Amino acid sequence: PEQWYGVTYREDRDFVKNAISRMKAYRLKELVKHFQLEGKFLKGIGHNSGHINDTFVIEVLNLEGRIKRYIFQRINTKIFNNPEKLMENIEKITTHIGKKVEALGGDPLRETLTIVKTLDGKNFYVDEDNEVWRMYHYIEGAKTYMKVEKPEHMYKTGKALGKFQKQLSDFPVEDLYDTLPNFHNTAMRFENFKRALENNRAGRVDLVRDEIQFILSREKDTRVLIDLLEKGKLPLRVTHNDTKFNNIMIDEATDEGIAVIDLDTVMGGLSLYDFGDSMRSGATTALEDEEDLSKVNFSMELFEEYTRGFLETAGDTLNKEELDHLAFSAKVITLEQAIRFLGDYLDGDIYYKISKENHNLIRARNQIKLVKDMEANMESMKDIVNKYR
Ligand code: GN1
Ligand code: MG
């Protein structure tokens, strides 16, 4: 049997029905046969996080009669259009991190993702509908959270991201394929946004004049980091590029951030993108799609906890420009996300998965609220960085 919970998305019954039937159509039991599973298929469970790929947890019964779990994902090839290169990247970096973990007596199966290969030794499987599938070992005893539950989470995930960047600091950036070129080129995101405005594909421009104005008036901010990169003042590093809070696995017993997951966008980037996105998604009092903006606040306490943890493990690898722009990066990455969500709303919701009407607009407004909060607090944010640098 395959179970279909985890896809529940609040009150939206149609979405749940559609998502369930879409996912049911994947015959997981047949699909996973192509991978080197250690056991007999028991069930597959839909997992509702992530705006891009489809994720399942697969349970098998192994030879000792114990349940073993795997993460099984359908890669969204409309976005990741070269799965071969993408998986090569992931294999390279997880091997690199795995070796470092092992050298320190740790368990690579727990501290990074480990690819489960197909029977013919490949990193992914292409099914008869041309859907692309990959599998990882499941990291047991740890979980991800959609939202920070205690300040300690921020301190510890900050440490984990700093450690991740450090583990990859000696990995040659040119050995990685540029999976999504210009992914965090905020200036280019801004240009794309202006194009979406002109095209007005979904006829929604008139509905969101205030939000559009908010973004247009911040054009200058979108160029700051990219200019510093071009001038050679900010180094190109191997970065994660999608450091949403729920992409860090937290140990259930100790609350330590034990592994950074969702490695699809690991490629050349700025350390600041990763710091900024962690703040956007972690130092907030609400979920990314909370509609009641009175509940959406940027939390200075959480910002401080994360900064403290991150600088503890990565502080000595960062240069002056990086340190000087940490506080700003939180704001600019949040602005970038607002641009992306609102841009997708204007395009008619073609990029991010949505599960209710106006979902992308709700998300954009939520991010705009955070940007406003950060602007009001920018000087204190800089003071906090200065306290720990
Ligand atoms: C997407 O799929 P997920 O939720 O891990 C997106 C990120 C955004 C994030 C916003 C490849 O990540 O860039 O920050 O949604 N990933 C891609 O929630 O576009
Ligand atoms: Mg993710």
Side-chain angles (χ1 to χ4, degrees), residues 172-381:
V173 72
E174 61 280 3
D175 281 8
L176 291 177
Y177 163 73
D178 210 3
T179 319
L180 299 170
N182 290 307
F183 191 58
H184 283 300
N185 182 334
T186 316
M188 193 168 285
R189 296 277 185 193
F190 185 84
E191 291 309 315
N192 293 344
F193 179 76
K194 285 202 298 200
R195 203 164 320 126
L197 271 182
E198 276 159 30
N199 295 344
N200 195 8
R201 277 173 57 170
R204 291 170 168 174
V205 166
D206 280 335
L207 303 173
V208 290
R209 287 281 172 203
D210 290 350
E211 290 79 3
I212 291 171
Q213 202 40 49
F214 183 90
I215 286 168
L216 292 181
S217 65
R218 280 160 183 77
E219 174 167 16
K220 221 170 74 213
D221 290 333
T222 66
R223 291 211 208 92
V224 174
L225 299 184
I226 207 77
D227 281 354
L228 288 168
L229 173 68
E230 278 165 11
K231 286 188 193 129
K233 294 194 169 165
L234 290 174
L236 190 72
R237 300 180 185 274
V238 177
T239 53
H240 184 281
N241 296 301
D242 184 9
T243 51
K244 217 163 150 172
F245 182 65
N246 72 357
N247 279 336
I248 301 199
M249 304 262 333
I250 296 178
D251 189 301
E252 281 169 33
T254 64
D255 280 333
E256 291 295 336
I258 53 163
V260 181
I261 58 168
D262 196 351
L263 304 173
D264 294 332
T265 50
V266 176
M267 56 188 164
L270 298 182
S271 171
L272 292 173
Y273 298 153
D274 285 0
F275 179 83
D277 200 52
S278 306
M279 293 310 178
R280 173 191 79 75
S281 58
T284 163
T285 53
L287 288 173
E288 190 179 72
D289 59 356
E290 172 59 56
E291 282 180 65
D292 178 354
L293 294 183
S294 71
K295 292 189 186 145
V296 183
N297 297 298
F298 186 68
S299 161
M300 293 299 283
E301 183 193 11
L302 297 179
F303 176 79
E304 175 154 4
E305 282 305 285
Y306 195 92
T307 303
R308 184 164 74 89
F310 180 72
L311 289 180
E312 206 173 292
T313 47
D316 60 344
T317 58
L318 304 178
N319 77 13
K320 180 173 178 308
E321 292 289 344
E322 289 175 310
L323 292 165
D324 285 349
H325 287 85
L326 279 178
F328 174 77
S329 77
K331 174 191 152 179
V332 81
I333 290 296
T334 311
L335 176 66
E336 180 187 285
Q337 196 70 65
I339 293 174
R340 294 175 63 193
F341 283 146
L342 196 63
D344 196 32
Y345 174 76
L346 294 178
D347 283 341
D349 309 312
I350 52 177
Y351 186 89
Y352 295 107
K353 284 188 213 167
I354 57 163
S355 56
K356 57 181 161 191
E357 222 186 305
N358 294 335
H359 208 161
N360 277 315
L361 175 58
I362 292 164
R363 291 167 176 151
R365 287 184 171 146
N366 179 306
Q367 303 295 295
I368 287 174
K369 171 63 173 43
L370 291 175
V371 172
K372 287 182 183 162
D373 280 6
M374 288 188 234
E375 287 179 345
N377 284 298
M378 193 47 71
E379 287 316 307
S380 324
M381 288 164 68

Side-chain angles (χ1 to χ4, degrees), residues 3 24 26 75 80 98 100 216 269 348 354 358 382:
Q3 287 189 17
K24 258 187 171 164
Y26 303 140
I75 300 177
F80 297 112
K100 295 209 164 170
L216 292 181
I354 57 163
N358 294 335
K382 287 182 184 160

